[in-house]
Amino acid sequence: MTALMLIIFLLLLLIGIPIFIALLIASFAGILYLGDLSLLRVIPQQFFGGMDVFTLLAIPLFILTGNLMNRSALTDKLLDFCRVLVGHLRGGLGHVNVVASIVFAGINGSAAADASAIGSVLIPAMAKEGYDRSYAAGITAGSSLIGPIIPPSIFMVLYGAMTNQPIGALFAGGVIPGLLLGVAFMIMNHYYSVKYDYPVSNRRASLKEITETTRHSIVALIAPIIIIGGILLGIVTPTEAGALAVFYVAIVGFFITKKLTVKLFIEAILETVRSTSVIFVIMGGAAALCWLLKWEQVPQKVAMMLVNVSNNPTVLMLILSAIIFVIGMFMEEVAALILLTPVVAPVAMMAGINPIHFGIVMTLNITIALITPPMGACVHIVSAVGKVPLEKMFKDIWPFVGVSMIVLLLVILFPPLVTFLPGILNL
Amino acid sequence: MSKTGQSIIFTVSKNLSNLIKHLSLGLAGVFLLINVVDVLISIFFRYFLRSSLIWTEEVARYTLIYAVMFGATAALSYGEHVHISVFARRLPAPLGRLVRWIRNALITGILLLMTYLSVQYAKGGWRSRTLALGIPRAIPLMALPIGMALLVIQYVLVEITRAYSQRNEEESS
């Protein structure tokens, strides 16, 4: 039955049927095959249940925060701050790009928002200073990957909701790997800047200038502190942190930067509700199909099969990562995460891999898919905002994929990079 | 069917689908707004007044489901649901038409089936009540049949509009 459902599902995708509907049709086909029509009532039950999960409440809030931030001109303030911080280094704007993504990551849970907000400002600025346009777009796409790794993270909420893992622990686990990504891209930027003689963008700022700029951009810097600090210290739940961030960004946008208007606010809400729906209906459809797969004990069977290949956790994680990488190249990332988690997470648990460690490996893996051609969303975004032809971008993005793969490998090989922080924070 | 008959159907479905698009998006937005305000109220009571409200969690969960089910129709109208169009678009014309018919039949069929099944599911919810709000469980469950019915209506309208304007283009070229 599983093979039948899988073939039907893939065929449906190929003829252009939306994923959530393909999931429903495949579930229906599975039930027809089993011949027990009374099981049909399970489909709406699971569809509803898959969406009615308390932790998922954080998702629209994280998306809304990002949408409001971009309309409140908070990004500009962040960039000013990063400029005085690292603008004086060789390849200054490249470093600004990475550091801005790190700070941005603490407010926003999605890479796409990061790539479009930072890219639209920095790619033209970098090109003007003599950087190769596709390099500027590449580093924007690459560093945008930090977004879903440093908390908050939409991917982690989805993973946590599906595997019943605490979101707080996942968030804490992402901090070091996220910073590691940042460091890796800064090293890469340094190497390229020396090689191609990319310019220094600012002179070194005096202490006075740094304090002055910090004071001006403080409104933008408080947001990540509320969110990350609040969640990691266990003061607020991820959902509450999301709501506070929305509230904060809205207040700043309306009354401090004064860039947010009621019209823009409504626009942000409507954009958020559409993106949220797209994710949630896939969650619903996947819940229906997964119920059938569990009924047939598919996750256990897959787990047994893979554990027979190797029961070494590291080898298993490498195999799973390779599978996720390939699937991620061809499938939209949220969908890939929702479809793969229920199948691969049990494999990891059975092999004794720490579920938080695996969660971060999986999240990082899916995140990297955002910059792999041909489907990677962030490559498409930077190609559009940076005005670089897509074909050129597809070629020039690979060094950035390579660097993030090295970070992924480090995270797989050294579990404490993930487990250390949740451990000391008792999450 | 006569030309005028076709053009009336086209105009009606185009206007109706536009109406559904804006209505569903607006309703989804209102539910999301209630959802955000509700979470903020719960934080305010928990941290500042030191007393947790018991109903806020249910309100948050249910408003989000309504937001999602209306939003799904809006996303459909904007063509935003995740799908892979690369292969279907490259098919030669006759095969492409056949595939489109199969796709339309399958999507309409499953959405109709889902509407029927979720009506049955929601009906069962009149007998039990939710824990905190004490409302019949059918009220949140109704989001499903309403959403599914809207989706199928909107899908059919969008396809009629698209098919008609495509034929007009072909004729004029």
Side-chain angles (χ1 to χ4, degrees), chain A residues 301-357:
Chain A
K301 286 178 193 159
V302 175
M304 286 305 286
M305 205 172 73
L306 280 173
V307 172
N308 278 339
V309 176
S310 165
N311 56 10
N312 178 322
T314 310
V315 177
L316 258 183
M317 251 192 291
L318 289 171
I319 298 176
L320 292 177
S321 292
I323 297 173
I324 300 170
F325 183 81
V326 174
I327 294 181
M329 282 176 75
F330 299 101
M331 194 179 251
E332 196 273 340
E333 292 71 27
V334 171
L337 180 72
I338 295 174
L339 296 179
L340 288 172
T341 301
V343 184
V344 297
V347 179
M349 311 297 136
M350 204 182 240
I353 299 169
N354 177 318
I356 300 297
H357 182 213

Side-chain angles (χ1 to χ4, degrees), chain B residues 81-139:
Chain B
H81 283 292
V82 183
H83 66 287
I84 302 170
S85 56
V86 198
F87 304 102
R89 245 190 294 146
R90 291 198 180 156
L91 293 173
L95 194 59
R97 241 192 311 270
L98 176 71
V99 162
R100 182 169 306 139
W101 274 108
I102 296 175
R103 191 167 62 209
N104 287 348
L106 283 172
I107 295 180
T108 317
I110 195 75
L111 288 176
L112 281 174
L113 180 71
M114 275 304 284
T115 311
Y116 170 76
L117 291 173
S118 40
V119 167
Q120 299 302 316
Y121 178 46
K123 261 190 195 165
W126 288 109
R127 288 189 295 272
S128 57
R129 286 176 180 273
T130 67
L131 288 176
L133 289 167
I135 52 167
R137 249 178 72 72
I139 291 176

Side-chain angles (χ1 to χ4, degrees), chain A residues 15 19 52 235 240 274 277, chain B residues 46-47 61 80 82 103:
Chain A
I15 62 169
I19 289 187
D52 183 23
I235 303 170
E240 290 171 343
R274 298 206 311 263
S277 300
Chain B
R46 214 176 111 194
Y47 293 96
R61 276 167 39 208
E80 287 174 337
V82 183
R103 191 167 62 209

